[in-house]
Each structure stands twice: as structure tokens, then as C-alpha cells.
Amino acid sequence: DAKTTQPNSMESNEEEPVHLPCNHSTISGTDYIHWYRQLPSQGPEYVIHGLTSNVNNRMASLAIAEDRKSSTLILHRATLRDAAVYYCTPTLNTGTASKLTFGTGTRLQVTL
Amino acid sequence: EPEVTQTPSHQVTQMGQEVILRCVPISNHLYFYWYRQILGQKVEFLVSFYNNEISEKSEIFDDQFSVERPDGSNFTLKIRSTKLEDSAMYFCASSETGGSYNEQFFGPGTRLTVL
């Protein structure tokens, strides 16, 4: 499993953009990079994923480095509801049910 | 929007007792998973399940654990003889396909407390 390194915590003001970094230097060529978040007292929630190209969806954007050893989750305008622990998890394509491997994640605090 | 549901939300049991945690995955999903999270720790993979058999299991998933899809809708995790260290939040997840490009949908979890 690819190892990940994320800051323990980050803070943001509401309505400001947030860039959440992740290093995954041991990622293999076929691992997709997934981001999930966990709001307080809830199960993990899918945010976004990508392989090589940058990706956008209604929740966030994902910027993937050219060498794929790091990625950045971008929340364009943080709200109080985005306060959560954010996990990046490279996911090995096993050809069958692909497990998610969670690290300690980044706890995002959003303030008014 | 379809969602994964889990019952009960909280289960309290005595050490050595058997517990069954229940999950109803999203109806058209074919891949099912159990994860657990001990308080204050990481979310850990336990087992994945497809086509009525285990696809992969972690070291945590020893002989005390078993999974079953007893009918077309439920997916259960059984712990045969609970230990204090089994106290955790248990999350069920499902996905439409098994590839690493596919998102997993998680349930709200069952908090298991072993006394």
C-alpha cells in the first residue's frame, strides 16, 4: 500500500479557498488517488478521485503532480460544513474489490 | 439519493458474546466492505466481499470475524466472541464496481461497545 503524508491540521476562513496537500511518493502507476472526508460522528464520504489529470467536480478540484507523487485537494470556497478530516488514499487496482487505506488525514477547521 | 444504512446505531455487549452488525448496501452495488475505527484512530479496512465470497481481508479479520450476505439486500458482519479491543465504530461500504477508480459509499456506522 502506498504511504501518504498529510498535515495534521489546517485552518481556513469561511469563503476562502483551501489547498490540502498530500504526499504519496510510493504510489504505483495504476493507483488512483482518492480523497474522502469524515465529518464529525459520520462515516467517510467520497470527495473526488483522479489518476493523472486534474479533476473537478461539484465538491472540489484535485490537482495531481506530473510525477504523481503528490496531489492537492482544492476547496474553492470553504464553508463551516466543510470542517472535517480529509484523507487522501491511493487505491491499488487489484481487479477486484479495491480497499481504501486511510492515514491520519488532515483536520480542517473553518472559522467565520 | 440512495444510501447505505446500518443497524443498530449503537450496540453494547459483554465480552465473549456474539454480535451481528447489519448493513443494507445501495441496491445496485455489487461490492461490499467493512471498515472499523477505534476511537481516535484511523479508519481500518477489515474485509471486502464480492460474488458471495471474500475478496480480501486484513490481518484484523481473524477467525472470530465472518461476513455474510444472507439475502439480496443485507450484508452482515459477525464477531463470534467479542473482546474489549473490538470496541470501535464499524462502517459498512458498498460500490458499484470493484475497480480502484470507483467510489465507495459509506454507512453512518455502528458503535460497538464491549464491556
Side-chain angles (χ1 to χ4, degrees):
Chain A
D1 297 341
K3 296 279 189 285
T4 60
T5 304
Q6 297 180 255
N8 287 333
S9 63
M10 292 183 67
E11 281 187 31
S12 172
N13 295 321
E14 203 177 18
E15 304 293 317
E16 295 291 317
V18 182
H19 291 232
L20 298 163
C22 179
N23 284 322
H24 31 76
S25 57
T26 59
I27 195 170
S28 74
T30 56
D31 290 357
Y32 274 76
I33 299 155
H34 284 251
W35 282 79
Y36 282 74
R37 71 181 185 180
Q38 189 173 22
L39 278 65
S41 303
Q42 294 189 29
E45 174 189 30
Y46 168 81
V47 178
I48 200 167
H49 74 276
L51 184 62
T52 56
S53 305
N54 294 344
V55 184
N56 300 296
N57 68 18
R58 63 176 176 82
M59 287 181 75
S61 296
L62 177 60
I64 301 172
E66 205 169 318
D67 63 5
R68 293 192 359 104
K69 293 185 187 302
S70 65
S71 62
T72 302
L73 178 71
I74 303 162
L75 306 179
H76 294 287
R77 289 176 62 192
T79 69
L80 296 177
R81 287 173 300 196
D82 291 322
V85 180
Y86 287 78
Y87 303 97
C88 73
T89 161
T91 304
L92 180 66
N93 191 8
T94 61
T96 178
S98 297
K99 68 181 181 188
L100 297 170
T101 303
F102 293 89
T104 53
T106 297
R107 183 173 298 279
L108 176 65
Q109 291 181 288
V110 181
T111 53
L112 291 170
Chain B
E1 188 171 319
E3 58 184 17
V4 176
T5 58
Q6 291 186 242
T7 54
S9 56
H10 191 187
Q11 173 92 48
V12 181
T13 189
Q14 296 290 327
M15 192 169 54
Q17 294 297 303
E18 174 183 287
V19 294
I20 297 176
L21 309 183
R22 290 184 167 79
C23 168
V24 179
I26 294 172
S27 62
N28 64 331
H29 285 187
L30 301 175
Y31 294 80
F32 314 113
Y33 313 81
W34 283 101
Y35 295 82
R36 80 170 186 190
Q37 186 174 32
I38 295 170
L39 187 64
Q41 297 188 25
K42 298 185 291 189
V43 177
E44 301 174 289
F45 168 78
L46 291 178
V47 66
S48 57
F49 190 86
Y50 168 69
N51 200 26
N52 276 322
E53 59 183 33
I54 290 173
S55 298
E56 186 178 357
K57 59 184 180 180
S58 71
E59 290 176 356
I60 304 167
F61 194 90
D62 61 21
D63 292 343
Q64 294 300 311
F65 291 86
S66 62
V67 289
E68 194 179 31
R69 188 153 162 81
D71 53 42
S73 60
N74 289 285
F75 179 50
T76 61
L77 174 70
K78 183 195 293 186
I79 309 175
R80 235 177 302 282
S81 177
T82 50
K83 303 190 274 281
L84 295 176
E85 53 265 38
D86 294 327
S87 295
M89 282 290 288
Y90 288 80
F91 296 107
C92 172
S94 69
S95 63
E96 196 171 351
T97 67
S100 64
Y101 48 83
N102 207 65
E103 64 183 277
Q104 294 182 21
F105 292 80
F106 284 76
T110 293
R111 178 172 300 283
L112 176 65
T113 302
V114 183
L115 302 176

